Structures are given as C-alpha cells and as structure tokens.
Amino acid sequence: MKTKPDKLPEESPLTETILPGTKWQKRYWFIFSGQALSIIGSALTQFVLMWWIADTTGSVSKLAFAGMVALLPQALLSPVGGVMADRYSRKMIMILADIISAACVAVLVILFLTNDVELWHIYLMMGIRGAMQAFQSPAVEASSAMLVPEDFLPRAAGLNQILMGATLVAGAPLGALALTAMPLGWAVSIDVFTALLGIVPLFFFTIPQFRKEKTKASFFREIISELGEGIALVWKDHGLKRLFLLLGGIVLVIMPTFTFVPLLVKEHFKGGVEEVGLMEGLAGAGMVAGGILVTIISPKRKMTWILTGLGLSCFAVSLTALMPANLFWAAAFWWMISSFTFIFANAPLTALLQIIIPNRIQGRVLSLLNMIMALAAPVGLMMANPLGEWLGLRGLFVSVGILSGLVAFSGFASYHLKNLENRKLNN
C-alpha cells in the first residue's frame, strides 16, 4: 500500500516497506536546497579556518592536528550516531546537530571579532562540529533513501555529488573573497545564517522512517545490541566486509593530501589564499561535472565505477604534486581531474549501499563505514607527519597517491566485491 508522505507519521512502526509517495519531488527538493545552503556555508568556514591555521602557523603538524580533532570525535561517536538515527527521529537529529554546529561558529565569530581567538579555540570548536557530524551524517544518509523511489537513488546520489562539488566551487572562492573583503570574524559568521536556512525546510516536511519497537532493555544495552546488529551484517558478508576494509585502507593512505593542500600551494607553488581558493574551486567544478555525468548515465555496474574512479582519482593526486613550481595551472588541472574521477566512485557507492542494505539498519551500517574512514583519516595524518618530514611535501603527495591507487585497483581481484551489487542483504 502506498502511503503519501504528507500524512506519514514520524512515529510509523517498523514495516517491510515505506514508499516515498507521489509528492516526493517537492519535499526532496526543498530539503535538498536547504542542505545545499548549509553545506556551502560550512565549506566556506572550513576553508577560512584551515587557511588561518596554515597562514598563522605554517606548520604541517598543526594542520594535521586540526584534521585529527575534527575527525576523531566523528569516528568515536559514529556508531552511537548510527544507532540513534535508526532509533529516533532522524529529522530532529539533523536539526539539533545543525543548531549546535551553528552555535560553535557563533562563538568563533565573537572570538575573532574581539581578537581573543587562540589556536585551541579553533581545535575545540572543530572537535564539537566533528562530533555533530557523527550524528548528522547517518541521519542524512539513511533519510535520503526514504525521500525518493529506489530507481531514482543513483541520480539522487549523483545530485548529492553535484552539491558537494558546488560547495567547493562556491565555498573556497567565496572563502577567499570573504577573507579579502571583510574581517575574518564576519567571514565565519556566514555559516551561522546558512545553517539556519538549512534547518527551516525540516520543520515543514516529514521524513519517512522505519521505527524499531521499544523494548524493556536499558538504553545502553539497546545501543550495544543494535550496534552489534550493524557490525554483524557487515562482518558476515564477505563482499561488504572487503568493501569497508578497502575504503578504510584508501582513506588511511590518501587523506593527508587533502589537509596539506594549502601548504603545497604555499611552499611549492609560492601561492597564497587566492591560489588555494582557485585550486579548491576547480576541484569543486570537477565534482560538479562528475556528478552531472553520473546523474545522466546512472551507472549500472556500480562496483566497476567505484574501483576505477577511486584508482584514477588517487593517481591524479600524484600528478598534481609532480608538476613543476612554475606550472600551477597544470597542478590545479590534475587536482580537478582527481575530484572529477572521485565522483565516479562516490556517487555509485552511495547508491549501492542504499539499495543493498535494508533501510531499518542503514543508519548503523553507514555510521560503521563513517567510523572506519574517520578513524583511518587521523591515523593517516599521524603517519604522514614523519613521512612528510622525510620525503618532503611533494614526495608525500606522490607516494600516497600511487599507493592508494594500487589499493583501489586491487579490488578487481576480489570475486566477493565484484558480486556485491548483484544482491540485496538481509537482516
């Protein structure tokens, strides 16, 4: 039986199927547009804060630590966030996470405007915002599968990648423009307003959701039990387990390059905030182009796209750093190609997981993937710090790009990985 979304209660019980209804387009586009504004504001703030750290300290270790404090809380809390997303209202989780993140930015605005900001303030607020991502990400990812019909999921994933690219296209150049046009505190304040705009549509639309029946067990026992269900699903399935380990391995190796881009531009290409903004903007353009292509094609052989896209993206990172200091435009081109090919992997990956994993457990399984990648990222940053001192910044980029690309292409040797998309998992 089809249930129209406008009349679907948030407290709907656990059933075998919940369909998005005939009016799903209006709800989807309003929520999508609100989230787009919020994400662009967050990207602008992230750019401003990372540039401030790079420009103020010029330290690889301090940039690496900034990445770690943003990612570690997300990694440690992701399992709890996934359980909460499956257990409680995903819409309310998204709203509360956005409000808390906006409050953190508001504190930074005051500190910058009063010239009282210190490095530890930045670290603390980045850590809190990272913790909020642990709750928001699984709620958003699991909700998106309930907002559209299944045959639209690959295109929805492509649209999400277009959005992520647009955040770089708009976020980095706007961040650079804001830094040159206004005091740093006012530049950061833009994020507060965009976060509020992202919250507004959530008050006017319901988000269909499976709800697990309440039991008499204690809250913490239920959290552990439900988290165990997600881990068991991944661990018992050979294809899904290999996919999660492969993605974690790639993130472990390649992640430091995204944190160290401002230093590469500053030290090797002798550029400033405008060049960093341009490079990130072109990367966003690559993501938009890749997202458009994936949305149009709606890939059927998703695993082939995932492995090929990841491998090519990693190799392009190496080519970025191999460019001579006087060929910044060539480096920016390869950085754009890295983002373009990355979307070939990320959009089909999102659609694949949303299709094969039952929605009633998606929050837990997706949060487990987030945890693996979020834990791999700070470990990679810790390893990259001494490697960067030994190999130099360019040597680090080249080495990790080649290694992670080989890891991605190794997935073609796995029968279980190649067969994963041909079935749906049961739980």
Side-chain angles (χ1 to χ4, degrees):
M1 178 183 295
K2 291 186 178 181
T3 307
K4 293 184 178 181
D6 298 330
K7 298 183 180 180
L8 183 68
E10 288 267 337
E11 299 292 337
S12 56
L14 180 63
T15 57
E16 287 303 315
T17 231
I18 297 179
L19 301 178
T22 57
K23 300 179 180 179
W24 63 269
Q25 293 96 335
K26 177 181 177 181
R27 177 180 55 186
Y28 171 75
W29 285 110
F30 266 98
I31 294 176
F32 180 86
S33 300
Q35 290 299 305
L37 291 171
S38 178
I39 291 172
I40 288 173
S42 296
L44 184 153
T45 297
Q46 183 73 7
F47 175 87
V48 170
L49 294 179
M50 294 303 285
W51 173 254
W52 184 85
I53 294 173
D55 188 50
T56 303
T57 69
S59 170
V60 171
S61 60
K62 287 183 172 59
L63 268 179
F65 189 73
M68 288 170 56
V69 297
L71 292 169
L72 270 178
Q74 183 176 351
L76 298 175
L77 293 174
S78 278
V80 179
V83 173
M84 301 282 278
D86 288 338
R87 186 181 177 90
Y88 300 107
S89 170
R90 292 168 181 167
K91 183 173 79 170
M92 287 308 302
I93 291 172
M94 292 160 63
I95 291 172
L96 290 174
D98 266 339
I99 290 175
I100 294 172
S101 295
C104 289
V105 175
V107 171
L108 286 178
V109 170
I110 296 171
L111 291 172
F112 275 118
L113 292 178
T114 57
N115 293 319
D116 291 327
V117 69
E118 296 183 21
L119 193 56
W120 71 268
H121 294 142
I122 306 290
Y123 290 155
L124 177 61
M125 296 308 166
M126 291 178 76
I128 296 174
R129 284 164 62 89
M132 291 305 100
Q133 281 295 110
F135 295 92
Q136 188 174 33
S137 292
V140 171
E141 291 168 354
S143 294
S144 62
M146 305 301 288
L147 294 174
V148 300
E150 183 175 304
D151 60 359
F152 191 78
L153 279 175
R155 289 186 168 85
L159 288 170
N160 284 332
Q161 301 309 310
I162 294 173
L163 169 59
M164 297 309 295
T167 63
L168 288 178
V169 170
L174 285 176
L177 177 63
L179 282 173
T180 58
M182 64 184 72
L184 197 144
W186 290 120
V188 173
S189 70
I190 296 172
D191 193 15
V192 178
F193 297 104
T194 56
L196 295 177
L197 291 173
I199 293 171
V200 168
L202 297 175
F203 285 106
F204 294 95
F205 294 95
T206 60
I207 296 180
Q209 179 174 348
F210 291 102
R211 287 298 179 81
K212 190 160 186 174
E213 295 179 358
K214 295 182 179 179
T215 67
K216 296 181 179 180
S218 68
F219 173 77
F220 292 106
R221 183 171 294 180
E222 278 290 293
I223 291 288
I224 294 172
S225 173
E226 293 179 23
L227 177 58
E229 291 179 23
I231 295 173
L233 178 67
V234 175
W235 187 256
K236 291 177 182 178
D237 187 89
H238 295 297
L240 202 57
K241 178 168 62 177
R242 283 168 170 77
L243 177 62
F244 278 32
L245 291 174
L246 180 82
L247 294 173
I250 292 173
V251 171
L252 175 72
V253 179
I254 200 67
M255 179 61 191
T257 62
F258 301 103
T259 302
F260 297 153
V261 164
L263 279 181
L264 181 70
V265 172
K266 184 178 180 180
E267 294 184 0
H268 177 60
F269 295 105
K270 310 304 179 186
V273 64
E274 294 84 2
E275 284 76 18
V276 176
L278 176 62
M279 195 164 179
E280 296 292 5
L282 288 173
M287 293 178 70
V288 170
I292 292 173
L293 183 61
V294 170
T295 302
I296 294 173
I297 295 176
S298 188
K300 303 301 181 184
R301 299 179 62 186
K302 295 180 179 60
M303 191 54 65
T304 299
W305 279 70
I306 291 169
L307 298 177
T308 302
L310 287 173
L312 294 177
S313 178
C314 293
F315 287 146
V317 169
S318 293
L319 291 170
T320 300
L322 282 172
M323 296 300 101
N326 61 341
L327 292 180
F328 170 76
W329 279 99
F333 168 78
W334 285 115
W335 192 248
M336 179 181 68
I337 293 298
S338 177
S339 297
F340 177 70
T341 51
F342 171 75
I343 300 306
F344 293 173
N346 205 39
L349 172 65
T350 301
L352 172 67
L353 295 177
Q354 289 174 336
I355 290 171
I356 68 174
I357 299 171
N359 188 267
R360 59 182 175 272
I361 199 173
Q362 269 187 28
R364 281 162 279 175
V365 176
L366 293 174
S367 70
L368 181 61
L369 177 59
N370 290 337
M371 183 189 71
I372 291 172
M373 293 196 292
L375 281 175
V379 172
L381 284 168
M382 286 188 291
M383 295 171 59
N385 194 26
L387 283 174
E389 298 292 337
W390 177 45
L391 297 173
L393 201 56
R394 291 183 71 200
L396 177 68
F397 269 71
V398 173
S399 300
V400 300
I402 293 173
L403 179 59
S404 54
L406 293 175
V407 171
F409 283 122
S410 71
F412 283 108
S414 171
Y415 165 80
H416 295 290
L417 270 181
K418 291 187 292 185
N419 191 51
L420 182 60
E421 62 188 298
N422 298 326
R423 56 202 174 83
K424 288 192 176 183
L425 307 181
N426 296 314
N427 180 259

